[in-house]
Amino acid sequence: MAVINLTEARIRGLEFGSGTWRDEQVKGLMVVCHKTTKTYAVQGDVRRNGRHIRTVRAKIDRCDRIGLREARSQAKALMSKIQSGIDPTANPDESGITLRKAMDVHLIDKPLRSRTKEGYEYHLEKYLKRFANRAVVDISRQEVRELYDKLRSKSGQTTAGSVMRTLRAVINTAMRLDETIAANPVAAIRIPTNNRRKVSALDIPKFFLEVETLNPIRRDLYMTMLLTGARRSSILQIRRNDVDLQNSILTFCHMKTGGPMIFPMGKKLSSILENRLAADEKIGSPWLWPSPGASSGHIVEPREKGRKLPSPHECRHHARTMFIASGVPYAESALLLGQQLPGASGGYVHPEHLVEHLRPHAQALEEYVFHRRSKSDCPA
């Protein structure tokens, strides 16, 4: 590849098919002499953080279409991009993809619940903001380790681990789009698994004594949490029209597994919710657990300070345990808790077709709970 001081006259004098001629004046500019045409092009090395990514060649135009001065001007602009780590020959969405862009793609590609998406976006804006507008390929392992150590020190292990899982997932998506990302920098750290939450055994008589001191709406909410074992988001967002008293069915519309879940209510739960609907009819709220002072219109936090009552998640633990204690088989208890059965065949099971099959098992839980309650001195 010869290097010459290109001029208009010299370019006209170059023979077709003579190969590539570099310009002495502008770094990267060349004339490529094909069999029938002569073309201006630019070639350079894309480097990021001192690491060679690739050598790229970008066509400018044919020599008979633009002059040397214009070619040199375009070559300088292209070389400026190349030297800043940008590949001008790649799709702009797939070359040097930023963490924010990768996050957008990740949230579109993955079937995530709205709450999960909010969590990803919160992590990006609060903890990963320094990386948001940077090319993912430029995020180093050292920077990830430093951020992880800082988060563990300031916000705790749980938050640090959660943020790193978000970062790892988003970078994995970026790696599908940008081939220059050789590895995921989060691999440099070991993210420990979250410790399984320890839940003390439930003293049912004491539970009832404490629940009876709550206001009627929260009292009934706690009873419903215990008798269904439903997830927090599922149970707090029940609307009045999700309660079918005629068929003794409660519908959970906000499920982690996607799609609504039909729960067959036992006799006690049906009675509790029938009285709740009647008592709150005058409020005019669409929610089963109304809270006029909340922006959502419904209760968003069941627990009250100073109260020794289990959280919604702990109620779910207790329901699972009491399903077993009341003789409910594993598969039926899992379906009543809104869980998908394991294995390939689990995907073939449709709980909405098994409502009446599951009803005796929901009733068994109620009978177990209220039998244990009867051993206390609390009023019936």
Side-chain angles (χ1 to χ4, degrees):
M1 186 184 297
V3 180
I4 62 174
N5 183 24
L6 292 175
T7 63
E8 297 281 4
R10 284 177 178 170
I11 292 172
R12 286 193 298 270
L14 294 174
E15 294 183 8
F16 289 110
S18 60
T20 302
W21 302 81
R22 283 188 174 274
D23 185 22
E24 285 184 350
Q25 293 191 28
V26 176
K27 181 179 180 180
L29 176 63
M30 60 183 65
V31 173
V32 183
C33 297
H34 305 285
K35 289 183 178 181
T36 58
T37 61
K38 300 175 185 177
T39 304
Y40 289 115
V42 67
Q43 181 173 303
D45 294 334
V46 177
R47 295 181 179 275
R48 293 174 184 159
N49 289 335
R51 180 167 60 92
H52 179 265
I53 304 298
R54 63 172 62 166
T55 298
V56 297
R57 178 181 290 190
K59 176 182 176 181
I60 297 175
D61 208 337
R62 282 181 11 196
C63 296
D64 59 345
R65 288 180 177 172
I66 64 172
L68 178 59
R69 178 177 294 182
E70 175 63 20
R72 282 174 170 162
S73 176
Q74 291 191 35
K76 290 177 182 178
L78 287 169
M79 282 302 296
S80 177
K81 287 184 177 182
I82 292 171
Q83 290 172 345
S84 65
I86 298 172
D87 180 355
T89 65
N91 185 314
D93 289 339
E94 299 179 358
S95 176
I97 186 172
T98 65
L99 188 67
R100 188 181 300 278
K101 176 63 178 177
M103 173 77 80
D104 292 341
V105 174
H106 184 77
L107 296 183
I108 292 172
D109 287 354
K110 299 283 284 185
L112 302 173
R113 293 184 304 156
S114 58
R115 186 176 178 184
T116 303
K117 290 183 178 180
E118 290 171 3
Y120 271 86
E121 291 165 349
Y122 178 77
H123 283 168
L124 181 67
E125 295 302 326
K126 184 170 178 64
Y127 303 111
L128 301 171
K129 195 170 184 178
R130 58 181 287 198
F131 296 150
N133 295 315
R134 287 179 54 188
V136 173
V137 73
D138 292 339
I139 300 174
S140 68
R141 292 188 172 202
Q142 181 61 34
E143 288 177 306
V144 170
R145 282 195 294 266
E146 290 174 356
L147 175 61
Y148 180 58
D149 292 339
K150 181 179 178 180
L151 288 176
R152 281 196 302 176
S153 175
K154 295 184 64 177
S155 305
Q157 177 61 57
T158 300
T159 298
S162 182
V163 172
M164 288 299 110
R165 290 185 189 92
T166 295
L167 182 60
R168 180 174 59 194
V170 174
I171 292 180
N172 282 340
T173 294
M175 291 174 70
R176 292 191 293 104
L177 303 173
D178 188 347
E179 64 182 16
T180 66
I181 304 173
N184 194 321
V186 183
I189 61 176
R190 178 182 174 275
I191 308 173
T193 57
N194 292 333
N195 294 328
R196 187 173 293 277
R197 188 178 304 178
K198 294 182 179 180
V199 179
S200 302
L202 180 66
D203 187 322
I204 293 179
K206 287 185 178 179
F207 172 83
F208 274 94
L209 286 171
E210 186 71 21
V211 164
E212 290 294 337
T213 65
L214 299 173
N215 72 57
I217 294 178
R218 288 183 179 269
R219 175 199 65 203
D220 294 346
L221 170 57
Y222 258 97
M223 288 304 307
T224 305
M225 290 194 299
L226 188 64
L227 296 178
T228 63
R231 295 181 179 88
R232 175 195 181 100
S233 59
S234 299
I235 205 159
L236 293 180
Q237 299 185 70
I238 300 174
R239 294 177 177 270
R240 290 173 63 89
N241 57 14
D242 293 332
V243 184
D244 182 350
L245 295 174
Q246 183 176 353
N247 296 302
S248 294
I249 287 174
L250 179 61
T251 301
F252 297 113
C253 294
H254 298 271
M255 296 297 295
K256 183 177 182 179
T257 53
M261 171 192 165
I262 300 174
F263 184 91
M265 295 188 290
K267 296 177 182 178
K268 285 285 188 181
L269 182 56
S270 293
S271 176
I272 289 170
L273 296 189
E274 182 178 13
N275 293 333
R276 181 80 272 126
L277 289 171
D280 292 342
E281 188 172 3
K282 58 186 177 182
I283 297 177
S285 171
W287 302 103
L288 182 60
W289 317 113
S291 178
S295 59
S296 64
H298 62 79
I299 293 174
V300 294
E301 177 51 68
R303 304 181 75 175
E304 295 183 9
K305 291 183 179 180
R307 298 284 189 172
K308 296 181 179 179
L309 283 166
S311 68
H313 191 69
E314 289 169 336
C315 283
R316 185 169 172 81
H317 276 254
H318 295 316
R320 164 63 89 181
T321 302
M322 292 187 296
F323 271 130
I324 296 173
S326 57
V328 177
Y330 172 83
E332 281 76 1
S333 64
L335 293 174
L336 285 167
L337 289 171
Q339 298 172 332
Q340 185 171 345
L341 298 181
S345 62
Y348 299 135
V349 178
H350 301 280
E352 64 272 17
H353 301 161
L354 301 172
V355 174
E356 295 308 318
H357 170 75
L358 295 173
R359 190 180 299 281
H361 301 299
Q363 184 63 43
L365 174 63
E366 283 195 2
E367 291 173 358
Y368 177 86
V369 170
F370 282 90
H371 174 71
R372 296 289 300 275
R373 179 196 185 189
S374 67
K375 295 181 180 182
S376 73
D377 295 328
C378 61

